[in-house]
């Protein structure tokens, strides 16, 4: 392997430059190309899996040496205090776990991520506290394939974790906590505690609760492990206990075997709740999944149903109508595409912008932008 790389690099080195000589620029390019070739060739023999992210350096070093290294086994979870660079300096993302407990017939996540592996609550709370102490951070996102399933593999639960996370947030409310996506089965027993957390002044009153279909037969084929009635119990309980709560959901259009009656149930459910955000996707048969072997709904019918649902969703006024004329605190986390306005979110995670101007006054404490991004 090493000899093959050397021959490739030497062959390239013997190539004359545009001036007919091997100049310093060519030699610099040679070094970069040799490294790239080494990694490309050796990558065929060095394969780090998604469960070995903490061993990427080891894999790269092995690749440079021409060694074979396969890291597909499941090891302990990577430490939460590994060095990282935020894509957005004002948003900290804290993973709660990897993998999931579900076995949805259309999904490849279980194949890629494996079974649920939850981080210790002490590590998560420590990470949240560190982020909350950073004067730049305005939002802390708790991230997981299924937030509600957290802790079931280590003898704890999401309700207890959230209480501990909320306790370390700044009392002045400058930093907000956002809960990640959760499937209905795993929060049914914690609805009261979840509602209490969502009512906390430092937690966004917003929850992503995927339903996927408004039909029990379709949910059964999906192996979603809940019924429409159980989803409604989650939604109704939280909406009644958390004033101003906004729910987001997901819908898969045209799942195999979806009848007209099944689709009517989905349309009725979405129309009833008028979700703040409805993520619509047309069924796609992922290779290797049970759903890929099921008889598909005709493509044209799937497209028609997708357009029908999109038209319904476009009629929703969302949370904006209820906020008109009101005074809201806004947590600013980004700059709009025009580079002149700011983008932020209210307590129920309604996006405000791009009409927040960047030239507004900043309070002496540096935490609140008045007249623009602090209070409305």
């Amino acid at each position: 392997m090493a000899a093959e790389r050397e021959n490739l690099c030497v062959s390239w080195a013997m190539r004359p430059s545009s001036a007919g000589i091997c100049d310093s620029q060519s030699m610099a390019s040679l070094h970069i190309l040799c490294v790239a070739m080494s990694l490309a060739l050796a990558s065929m023999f060095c394969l780090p899996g998604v469960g070995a992210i903490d061993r990427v350096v080891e894999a790269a070093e092995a690749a440079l040496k021409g060694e074979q290294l396969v890291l597909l086994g499941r090891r302990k979870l990577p430490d939460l205090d590994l060095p990282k660079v935020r894509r957005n300096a004002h948003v900290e993302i804290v993973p709660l776990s990897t993998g999931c407990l579900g076995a949805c017939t259309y999904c490849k996540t279980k194949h890629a991520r494996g079974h649920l592996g939850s981080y210790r609550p002490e590590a998560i709370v420590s990470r949240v506290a560190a982020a909350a102490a950073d004067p730049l951070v305005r939002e802390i996102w708790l991230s997981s394939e299924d937030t509600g399933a957290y802790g079931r593999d280590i003898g704890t639960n999401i309700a207890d974790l959230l209480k501990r996370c909320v306790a370390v947030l700044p009392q002045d409310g400058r930093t907000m906590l956002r809960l990640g996506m959760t499937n209905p089965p795993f929060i049914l027993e914690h609805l009261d505690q979840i509602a209490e957390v969502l009512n906390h002044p430092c937690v966004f009153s917003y929850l992503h609760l995927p339903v996927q279909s408004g039909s029990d037969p379709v949910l059964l084929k999906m192996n979603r492990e809940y019924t429409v009635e159980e989803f409604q119990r989650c939604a109704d309980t939280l909406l009644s206990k958390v004033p101003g709560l906004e729910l987001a959901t997901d819908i898969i259009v045209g799942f195999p075997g979806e009848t007209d009656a099944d689709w009517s149930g989905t349309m009725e459910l979405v129309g009833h709740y008028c979700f703040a955000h409805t993520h619509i996707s047309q069924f796609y048969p992922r290779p290797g999944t049970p759903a890929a072997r099921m008889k598909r709904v005709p493509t044209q019918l799937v497209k028609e149903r997708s357009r029908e649902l999109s038209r319904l969703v476009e009629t929703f006024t969302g949370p904006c109508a209820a906020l008109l004329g009101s005074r809201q605190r806004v947590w600013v986390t980004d700059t709009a595409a025009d580079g002149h306005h700011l983008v932020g979110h209210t307590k129920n995670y309604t996006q405000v912008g791009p009409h927040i101007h960047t030239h507004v006054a900043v309070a002496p404490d540096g935490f609140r932008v008045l007249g623009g991004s602090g209070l409305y």
Side-chain angles (χ1 to χ4, degrees):
M1 189 68 178
E4 183 179 358
R5 291 200 308 273
E6 183 178 351
N7 290 337
L8 282 171
C9 292
V10 170
S11 298
W12 190 92
M14 299 303 293
R15 175 187 66 84
S17 69
S18 59
I21 59 174
C22 293
D23 54 23
S24 59
Q25 183 176 1
S26 295
M27 294 305 294
S29 299
L30 166 65
H31 174 73
I32 295 173
L33 183 62
C34 284
V35 173
M37 285 181 172
S38 297
L39 289 172
L41 291 169
S43 65
M44 294 184 293
F45 297 92
C46 294
L47 182 61
V50 294
I53 190 172
D54 57 329
R55 301 179 67 185
V56 168
V57 173
E58 181 183 348
E61 291 176 344
L64 289 172
K65 296 175 183 176
E67 299 174 352
Q68 296 185 24
L69 183 63
V70 178
L71 305 172
L72 298 181
R74 186 177 179 85
R75 298 182 64 210
K76 70 178 183 67
L77 294 173
D79 293 334
L80 278 181
D81 59 357
L82 288 173
K84 63 172 292 186
V85 177
R86 300 190 193 106
R87 290 185 61 184
N88 184 330
H90 308 298
V91 177
E92 173 74 3
I93 301 175
V94 180
L96 304 185
S97 61
T98 63
C100 68
L101 290 177
C104 298
T105 58
Y106 56 84
C107 186
K108 294 283 283 187
T109 298
K110 194 66 169 281
H111 296 176
R113 298 290 185 179
H115 199 65
L116 178 68
S118 300
Y119 286 100
R120 301 300 307 179
E122 296 80 10
I124 295 172
V125 174
S126 176
R127 179 76 171 266
V128 170
D134 187 332
L136 291 178
V137 174
R138 289 294 171 270
E139 295 184 12
I140 300 175
W141 298 358
L142 300 183
S143 173
S144 173
E145 273 79 24
D146 187 352
T147 300
Y150 169 79
R152 288 174 175 259
D153 58 323
I154 57 173
T156 185
N157 60 69
I158 185 63
D160 290 344
L161 174 68
L162 292 177
K163 289 180 181 179
R164 295 179 62 175
C165 288
V166 167
V168 300
L169 295 175
Q171 295 184 359
D172 63 4
R174 69 177 184 270
T175 306
M176 296 290 285
L177 193 69
R178 195 187 83 168
L179 276 59
M181 184 272 289
T182 180
N183 287 310
F186 303 116
I187 62 167
L188 278 169
E189 61 188 272
H190 303 300
L191 289 176
D192 289 341
Q193 296 96 317
I194 297 295
E196 181 180 353
V197 170
L198 291 171
N199 275 313
H200 191 281
C202 294
V203 179
F204 285 117
S205 302
Y206 177 87
L207 190 63
H208 183 186
L209 190 67
V211 64
Q212 305 299 1
S213 174
S215 163
D216 284 340
V218 173
L219 291 175
L220 184 61
K221 290 179 181 179
M222 292 179 172
N223 196 31
R224 289 291 290 171
E225 301 181 344
Y226 59 85
T227 64
V228 174
E229 186 277 329
E230 287 172 328
F231 172 85
Q232 292 172 325
R233 194 192 320 163
C234 290
D236 293 344
T237 300
L238 294 175
L239 287 169
S240 66
K241 292 179 176 291
V242 185
L245 173 68
E246 292 296 336
L247 293 178
T249 199
D250 300 342
I251 297 293
I252 296 177
V253 182
F255 191 82
E258 181 182 75
T259 65
D260 290 342
D262 296 328
W263 179 243
S264 294
T266 297
M267 289 290 293
E268 182 179 349
L269 184 142
V270 174
H272 173 75
Y273 286 103
C274 298
F275 298 102
H277 301 97
T278 304
H279 307 112
I280 305 170
S281 61
Q282 298 179 21
F283 171 75
Y284 175 78
R286 291 178 172 81
T289 60
R293 299 189 296 270
M294 299 178 185
K295 185 177 180 180
R296 297 181 61 180
V297 176
T299 301
Q300 187 58 38
L301 181 56
V302 175
K303 291 181 178 180
E304 291 174 2
R305 288 175 176 173
S306 181
R307 288 193 290 266
E308 182 184 10
L309 180 57
S310 297
R311 287 194 296 268
L312 173 65
V313 171
E314 288 170 0
T315 65
F316 301 161
T317 58
C320 299
L323 297 178
L324 288 176
S326 67
R327 184 178 176 85
Q328 301 287 326
R329 185 171 186 176
V330 175
W331 288 263
V332 175
T333 57
D334 210 347
T335 303
D338 62 9
H340 299 292
H341 297 85
L342 300 176
V343 177
H345 297 96
T346 64
K347 174 69 163 65
N348 66 359
Y349 215 67
T350 299
Q351 181 171 301
V352 178
H355 302 298
I356 311 176
H357 293 276
T358 56
H359 59 264
V360 294
V362 180
D365 60 11
F367 294 136
R368 189 177 301 173
V369 184
L370 304 177
S373 70
L375 296 173
Y376 267 70

